[in-house]
Amino acid sequence: MRILILGGTTEASALAARLSGRSEFSPVLSLAGRTSDPRPLPIPTRIGGFGGIEGLAHFLKNERIEAVIDATHPFAAIMSHNAAGACARAAVPLLGLRRAPWKQQDGDHWIEAPSMDAAASVLGDMPRRVFLTIGRLELRFFASAPQHTYLVRTIEPIGDVLSVPNVLTLRDRAPFDEAAERTLMERECIDMLVTKNSGGDATYPKIAAARALGLPVIIVSRPGKPRDVEEVTTAEAALDWLEKHHCRTP
Ligand code: NAP
């Protein structure tokens, strides 16, 4: 069974690991190409966009793909919509592998923002020391709030996307550790954390550390994903789904 996994997440890598060595499946994992040095994966990988819905529909046909797992990040909304459109057009079954969002717990002080733009304005006029953990591509929204000092953590260098006077940069990638996150926030005198509601364990320690330190967290809500797509939250459940589809394939 030829499978396309749309990846860039821990869940996609976990599914790839489960499929590797299973002779009844022939998976390929697709990455957008945002990270210059992606972690090696145990199944064939392709890198780069498909060219919208039409390009992906062509790929599905040319590669004789029989099932697609959309395991993209919860904030990768365009790719998920393209996957739904292309799979409908090519009549290929599609499953969304989407990790559950984080939920506020006792002791958390969350301020929910509907967008990155809104998150930047929630910071307010008073200068603060802000830990920005939102990736690289949307940092530009914080250029409208240059009064703050930003600690920015990304996988790739940020270049000149955040042109404000006070920016400290840190390059690192998940998984993170709660004690280390707490030490970092204390050392840098952080008084606010900004994050997407990404969900999952790998980046949750910053939320736990902010709770322990009594810091407010500006948490950006997830964008909408296609509604009529069947969803699971774990790689194990995605594998079950594939096994059921495989049994139905003559
Ligand atoms: P996006 O806005 O939903 O997609 C923009 C375009 O990038 C798509 O139209 C597609 O180009 C291409 N693309 C996205 N994911 C792809 C994939 N897995 N394989 C091939 N092409 C892909 O995506 P994004 O938010 O920029 O995220 C890009 C990638 O980074 C995703 O794979 C996602 O899982 C990963 N990621 C994103 C975030 C985040 O916060 N957004 C965080 C961690 C990881 P074409 O239209 O040309 O096909």
Side-chain angles (χ1 to χ4, degrees):
M1 184 185 200
R2 293 277 291 150
I3 300 162
L4 173 66
I5 305 172
L6 300 169
T9 57
T10 318
E11 291 71 24
S13 305
L15 180 60
R18 278 172 176 76
L19 289 172
S20 115
R22 296 273 305 255
S23 57
E24 69 273 42
F25 297 116
S26 169
V28 59
L29 190 136
S30 176
L31 298 172
R34 304 277 192 272
T35 306
S36 57
D37 179 25
R39 291 207 167 101
L41 289 156
I43 61 169
T45 304
R46 65 163 301 284
I47 297 182
F50 297 95
I53 293 178
E54 199 172 319
L56 180 54
H58 274 297
F59 180 92
L60 298 178
K61 194 166 164 249
N62 292 345
E63 296 293 321
R64 299 177 194 281
I65 299 293
E66 295 164 81
V68 175
I69 308 290
D70 172 18
T72 54
H73 190 270
F75 281 74
I78 298 171
M79 189 68 246
S80 294
H81 281 97
N82 289 357
C87 286
R89 198 178 285 188
V92 173
L94 169 66
L95 179 72
L97 169 49
R98 316 209 195 286
R99 57 177 93 138
W102 295 318
K103 294 233 159 60
Q104 194 164 187
Q105 294 186 13
D106 284 350
D108 281 332
H109 175 26
W110 284 10
I111 303 156
E112 300 208 26
S115 65
M116 209 51 82
D117 207 6
S121 38
V122 168
L123 291 174
D125 295 334
M126 198 178 77
R128 297 178 182 279
R129 292 183 68 85
V130 181
F131 187 19
L132 270 185
T133 62
I134 56 163
R136 177 171 46 104
L137 299 176
E138 289 160 292
L139 289 172
R140 66 183 187 281
F141 289 107
F142 293 84
S144 62
Q147 68 275 32
H148 308 298
T149 296
Y150 296 102
L151 172 65
V152 179
R153 182 169 64 198
T154 53
I155 297 174
E156 297 291 323
I158 68 166
D160 57 2
V161 292
L162 181 58
S163 47
V164 295
N166 298 308
V167 186
L168 305 162
T169 58
L170 189 60
R171 286 182 63 194
D172 206 350
R173 66 168 83 178
F176 297 106
D177 165 80
E178 184 182 334
E181 294 288 56
R182 195 174 161 157
T183 303
L184 173 67
M185 291 188 211
E186 283 180 316
R187 190 187 71 214
E188 297 297 339
C189 303
I190 296 299
D191 47 29
M192 228 174 210
L193 168 70
V194 182
T195 178
K196 299 173 176 178
N197 192 339
S198 298
D201 297 334
T203 59
Y204 187 76
K206 65 189 169 188
I207 303 281
R211 182 189 313 130
L213 294 169
L215 298 182
V217 178
I218 299 176
I219 190 148
V220 180
S221 309
R222 294 177 170 199
K225 291 264 185 174
R227 286 205 193 140
D228 47 356
V229 173
E230 192 179 342
E231 289 185 9
V232 295
T233 56
T234 64
E236 292 79 8
L239 185 57
D240 283 349
W241 184 88
L242 284 170
E243 281 168 344
K244 280 179 199 132
H245 271 272
H246 180 254
C247 293
R248 273 191 248 139
T249 308

